[in-house]
Amino acid sequence: MKKLRCIAVIAAVLLAVSGVILRLSGIDRTVDIKPGLPLDTVITGEQAQQDLKYVYDTVTANHPAFLTDGNAERKFSGAYLAMLGELSKKDSITVCELWEMTARLCCTLDDAHTIMTTSGDRYVSCADELVKAAHNSTLVSIDGIAADEMLTHFKQVFPYEPQVEFYADYMFLSAIQMDSWLTLLGADTSDGIDAVIGENGEILHFDMADMPDSAEEYELCNYEIDKENSLGIFTLNKCSLTDEYTSDLAEFFDKVRENGIENIAVDLRNNGGGTTQVINEFMRYIDVTDYKLFGGVDIRNGGGLVTYSDELTPNVRVENPFGGNVYVLTSNYTFSSAMDFAVVIQDNGIGKVIGDIPGNMPTAYGDKLTFQCPNSRLLVSVSYKKFHRVDTKKDALPLIPDVPVDAASAEEKLYEIISEK
């Protein structure tokens, strides 16, 4: 299971940085992506200015904030003009340097879905020990760069929502496994990396490798039935509406009915998002007549904003839907549509959330369009929707679990709760 969870993190990060995390439509609206250029590729200052303008024009033409938030527009435009001035003095620049600049520009929006990335990557081979050291705060440095300094740098180029800053700390654990992000953060990955770990200064060398074949072992979902404790746990590692998901979900609820299970939980602790259509499919098995998926959605459409209200979604229930207790398990890594899943359960009064606060806000921007800069081939993914929380009175709040507990202890806490009923 630990192996699968590690792979889940890598796979979800790939999704997070490639522009395919979606929330409402389930459709990836992207351009045809050309292979990325090596980060040390040199382009002219004029080409860099063209790409910077391309990012500025693309974001301002598609992001809802530029129609509703004057402060966001001022910050973004101010940063853009300053960067344009810097580039006007340069004869040339590397792709990596331009990535740094445009990433900082996008981060001014405080939107976890609007991001600059590259296409194609390599990974740190056998990175478990490196990640464990970073997680336990025993990672001293990578290629001579202090871990704290590298994390601070990461937070300047990786977007997150300020109210849930811990998400960036969590994603740093994934970034240091990726060749491109390590390079952006200053490491020389040409011959692998050297990491200093622990008080004794142990030096470990890590090589770079292509995506491991073990990624094929990644499980979208699985479930377990504990008849003795009348509990069924359905684990969903990505919000993907596939035949595998719908089949496993139906099979899970068949087992729940056959065994007279009174409590079910959806484990979203390793889920980095996808499409909210998985929520609608899940709700078909729950005995509620209707529910709200969002408290409203604002969609950027050219120079205007189309707003949809918080209409109830009629629930097309299966025969003999589940009427027992529903729980959701969350972590700081639970993100985007996975976070929405937990919000739908909590804000509609369907069940309770156990675990950590998820990694982004219920009221936030999302659903991304992905474009590619013409010269550097850097990718710019930009939100074109703003989602509002089901319970709009809590618009300014993150999803606070009904039972706050460290994510690693969430399942143990779940058993404790159902044993008291």
Side-chain angles (χ1 to χ4, degrees), residues 29-87:
R29 297 171 59 182
T30 66
V31 296
D32 291 332
I33 303 300
K34 298 178 182 177
L37 297 174
L39 293 180
D40 59 359
T41 301
V42 177
I43 61 175
T44 67
E46 183 179 353
Q47 288 176 315
Q49 290 181 62
Q50 291 172 356
D51 278 10
L52 180 64
K53 185 176 186 301
Y54 180 85
V55 172
Y56 176 82
D57 290 344
T58 299
V59 174
T60 56
N62 292 286
H63 202 287
F66 294 91
L67 298 181
T68 61
D69 187 345
N71 185 50
E73 183 176 9
R74 283 190 296 272
K75 285 172 59 181
F76 191 81
S77 296
Y80 164 70
L81 291 174
M83 292 174 182
L84 196 62
E86 289 180 42
L87 286 178

Side-chain angles (χ1 to χ4, degrees), residues 46-269:
E46 183 179 353
Q47 288 176 315
Q49 290 181 62
Q50 291 172 356
D51 278 10
L52 180 64
K53 185 176 186 301
Y54 180 85
V55 172
Y56 176 82
D57 290 344
T58 299
V59 174
T60 56
N62 292 286
H63 202 287
F66 294 91
L67 298 181
T68 61
D69 187 345
N71 185 50
E73 183 176 9
R74 283 190 296 272
K75 285 172 59 181
F76 191 81
S77 296
Y80 164 70
L81 291 174
M83 292 174 182
L84 196 62
E86 289 180 42
L87 286 178
S88 68
K89 302 173 185 177
K90 294 181 179 291
D91 293 327
S92 63
I93 188 174
T94 66
V95 170
C96 189
E97 290 171 326
L98 183 60
W99 183 13
E100 170 88 22
M101 185 173 285
T102 53
R104 287 174 181 261
L105 176 61
C106 288
C107 283
T108 64
L109 292 173
D110 295 333
D111 169 14
H113 285 82
T114 296
I115 185 172
M116 294 297 304
T117 56
T118 63
S119 59
D121 218 329
R122 302 184 79 215
Y123 304 86
V124 174
S125 180
C126 304
D128 288 354
E129 193 160 355
L130 179 67
V131 173
K132 181 180 178 181
H135 181 72
N136 295 332
S137 300
T138 58
L139 176 64
V140 178
S141 66
I142 297 178
D143 268 16
I145 305 169
D148 289 346
E149 179 184 333
M150 190 172 274
L151 175 59
T152 298
H153 186 181
F154 180 67
K155 289 183 176 181
Q156 295 168 342
V157 292
F158 183 85
Y160 59 90
E161 292 153 21
Q163 304 94 325
V164 285
E165 183 178 349
F166 54 77
Y167 180 68
D169 295 84
Y170 195 101
M171 293 304 292
F172 178 67
L173 302 181
S174 294
I176 60 174
Q177 300 178 61
M178 304 173 72
D179 191 350
S180 61
W181 284 94
L182 283 168
T183 301
L184 181 62
L185 298 177
D188 179 2
T189 65
S190 58
D191 59 349
I193 57 170
D194 293 313
V196 178
I197 295 174
E199 295 180 0
N200 297 327
E202 180 184 7
I203 300 176
L204 298 179
H205 179 78
F206 297 90
D207 291 317
M208 294 293 159
D210 294 329
M211 189 65 174
D213 292 338
S214 56
E216 297 175 2
E217 299 174 24
Y218 168 71
E219 285 187 310
L220 172 65
C221 52
N222 59 70
Y223 67 85
E224 55 184 288
I225 300 293
D226 183 347
K227 187 174 182 179
E228 181 180 349
N229 290 286
S230 196
L231 173 65
I233 300 178
F234 188 89
T235 299
L236 182 62
N237 293 317
K238 175 189 169 187
C239 291
S240 182
L241 189 66
T242 64
D243 290 342
E244 179 185 356
Y245 172 67
T246 56
S247 174
D248 284 4
L249 194 64
E251 189 176 288
F252 170 69
F253 278 104
D254 282 344
K255 299 291 185 183
V256 166
R257 281 191 294 270
E258 290 172 11
N259 291 282
I261 300 297
E262 298 176 353
N263 306 279
I264 63 167
V266 184
D267 189 348
L268 301 174
R269 289 177 293 175

